[in-house]
Amino acid sequence: MSISRRKFLGWLGAAGMGTALGKKATAATNKHFKGYANSNGVLYDNTRCIGCRKCELACNKVNELPSPQQSFSDMEVMNVPRRTTAKAYTVVNRYDGIPGAKGPQYRKIQCNHCLEPACASVCFVRAFTKTPKGAVVYDPSVCVGCRYCMVACPFNIPAYEYDNAFSPRVMKCTMCYPRIVKGLLPGCVEICPTGALTYGSRRDLLKIARERIRRFPGRYVDHIYGETEMGGTSWLYLSAVAFNKIGMREDLGVTPAPQFTAGALSAVPIVVGLWPVLLGGIYAINKRREKIAQQEKTQAVDSALEKARAEAAGQLSAAKQKAEAEKTVAIEKAVSKALEEEAEKSAAGTADTRAEDAAKKSSEEES
């Protein structure tokens, strides 16, 4: 379902009227969601990752994302840390020079699909949903672009389509939800050549992770990242080095995000109800400012054009007057010159006649 701005503003007005009539405002955070106990997830083992970036390639194809400027076989992109973007749902970073590590360490970054998602907890239009399959999915048809999800996410994952002016979306990994509901593996899991990624029941993945740590205590840090962080995530991690050495936060604690947001919003539901009205007001104010700015711009352009026309007309009139004056002067000069030449010719003719007469008289006298 898609909505126009007109319909959206209508809904905002309806929401405001409902609040004014005393109806209880609701938001995604008013009820504490405890997740799905037996949802699925993915276990990432960084000791098996070789940084081949095939997971990036598969993600790009499965989600039909734009081709990157540098090919997926170009490993130089890992010379600098990267984060997910609206055009890249997953990236692999390389970490060199870690004391005690055997060679470079890698980390795959994507949405962790929290058991109790922070993005869903702050979204008042319920654009984000935690599914029983484990994936946190997004509905762009109801999103109003507030981007609270981007602020709330402790893992800095959601990205916004800033270059899409007409229908921008919040973009992130979907755990290949359209595939897993069909019984298929997520694209990155399916393509991984080293078994660094394992998909399955979260409970089973935790057992697998604990067994690996038990069997190879010298290979792994004795912790499964994502088991308890922020209440737990569907994406789990094993690492050969401390997680903060590969850019992962270790200061998140175990409290789910909704416990930080639900209390405040449910305690003052009127604020949540009035929030759509506030957005509508902001939108109206911005539109009015745009209209006034456009009118001022149009007036400025018209004034500049009128001034330019007046200046051009004045310059043309002055040019015509100058041309006429120059033409008159030129004609007068030409007439004066012609008269002078005619006078010179007349004087010369008179002199010649006098000379002839004098010569004739002299001749007669001699005879």
Side-chain angles (χ1 to χ4, degrees):
M1 178 183 72
S2 61
I3 61 174
S4 64
R5 289 185 180 271
R6 184 183 299 273
K7 184 179 291 185
F8 169 58
L9 291 175
W11 288 356
L12 294 180
M17 183 60 70
T19 303
L21 293 175
K23 293 182 179 179
K24 183 179 179 181
T26 60
T29 53
N30 281 350
K31 294 182 179 179
H32 183 51
F33 172 67
K34 297 184 178 180
Y36 295 100
N38 197 33
S39 61
N40 290 352
V42 178
L43 171 64
Y44 169 70
D45 188 337
N46 100 312
T47 68
R48 299 185 179 189
C49 181
I50 58 174
C52 64
R53 298 185 64 205
K54 291 189 180 298
C55 53
E56 295 184 34
L57 171 64
C59 180
N60 179 272
K61 290 184 176 180
V62 168
N63 293 287
E64 299 180 346
L65 299 174
S67 299
Q69 294 181 348
Q70 294 174 271
S71 70
F72 291 106
S73 60
D74 186 352
M75 300 305 161
E76 290 187 0
V77 299
M78 289 193 287
N79 290 342
V80 295
R82 297 177 294 155
R83 61 149 291 175
T84 57
T85 69
K87 299 177 181 179
Y89 293 173
T90 186
V91 296
V92 176
N93 280 342
R94 185 184 68 234
Y95 302 86
D96 299 310
I98 299 177
K102 297 179 180 179
Q105 298 294 303
Y106 297 96
R107 171 196 168 201
K108 182 180 182 297
I109 306 172
Q110 73 295 302
C111 175
N112 287 325
H113 300 275
C114 304
L115 299 186
E116 301 178 60
C119 55
S121 74
V122 298
C123 183
F124 59 87
V125 295
R126 306 174 192 263
F128 289 93
T129 305
K130 178 70 174 181
T131 67
K133 289 289 186 179
V136 176
V137 296
Y138 165 73
D139 182 359
S141 69
V142 298
C143 178
V144 297
C146 70
R147 287 163 285 180
Y148 272 11
C149 53
M150 297 173 63
V151 177
C153 179
F155 303 107
N156 195 31
I157 294 299
Y160 195 66
E161 288 184 315
Y162 289 101
D163 58 349
N164 185 348
F166 298 103
S167 57
R169 298 167 294 173
V170 175
M171 309 295 280
K172 73 173 192 66
C173 161
T174 65
M175 201 190 285
C176 290
Y177 184 69
R179 289 174 57 88
I180 61 179
V181 294
K182 296 178 181 179
L184 302 174
L185 291 173
C188 59
V189 176
E190 185 176 67
I191 201 173
C192 183
T194 62
L197 297 169
T198 306
Y199 175 78
S201 163
R202 187 173 183 274
R203 290 177 178 174
D204 292 340
L205 295 177
L206 287 170
K207 292 178 181 178
I208 293 172
R210 292 192 187 99
E211 179 61 18
R212 290 183 186 177
I213 293 174
R214 186 192 68 81
R215 292 181 59 188
F216 306 101
R219 181 185 300 177
Y220 298 100
V221 172
D222 189 11
H223 179 65
I224 305 171
Y225 194 98
E227 180 177 12
T228 58
E229 277 75 10
M230 294 298 295
T233 62
S234 293
W235 209 279
L236 305 170
Y237 297 80
L238 287 176
S239 175
V241 297
F243 290 99
N244 62 4
K245 299 297 184 182
I246 53 175
M248 301 179 72
R249 294 184 61 179
E250 294 185 334
D251 61 340
L252 297 176
V254 299
T255 305
Q259 291 191 20
F260 296 109
T261 58
L265 289 178
S266 61
V268 285
I270 188 67
V271 175
V272 182
L274 289 176
W275 180 245
V277 181
L278 176 60
L279 286 181
I282 293 174
Y283 176 76
I285 290 172
N286 286 337
K287 293 300 291 183
R288 177 169 176 76
R289 286 178 177 174
E290 291 176 3
K291 183 178 179 180
I292 293 174
Q294 184 61 39
Q295 290 176 346
E296 291 177 348
K297 181 179 179 181
T298 301
Q299 291 174 357
V301 171
D302 291 342
S303 177
L305 288 174
E306 186 62 29
K307 183 178 179 181
R309 292 192 189 101
E311 290 178 353
Q315 291 174 358
L316 179 60
S317 177
K320 286 182 177 180
Q321 292 176 0
K322 183 178 180 181
E324 288 293 335
E326 290 176 350
K327 181 178 179 182
T328 300
V329 171
I331 292 174
E332 291 176 351
K333 286 183 177 180
V335 171
S336 178
K337 184 177 180 181
L339 291 173
E340 289 177 357
E341 290 177 352
E342 188 62 29
E344 290 176 358
K345 288 181 180 180
S346 177
T350 301
D352 291 342
T353 302
R354 289 177 178 173
E356 289 177 357
D357 291 343
K360 184 179 179 181
K361 183 176 180 180
S362 176
S363 178
E364 291 178 347
E365 289 177 351
E366 290 177 357
S367 302

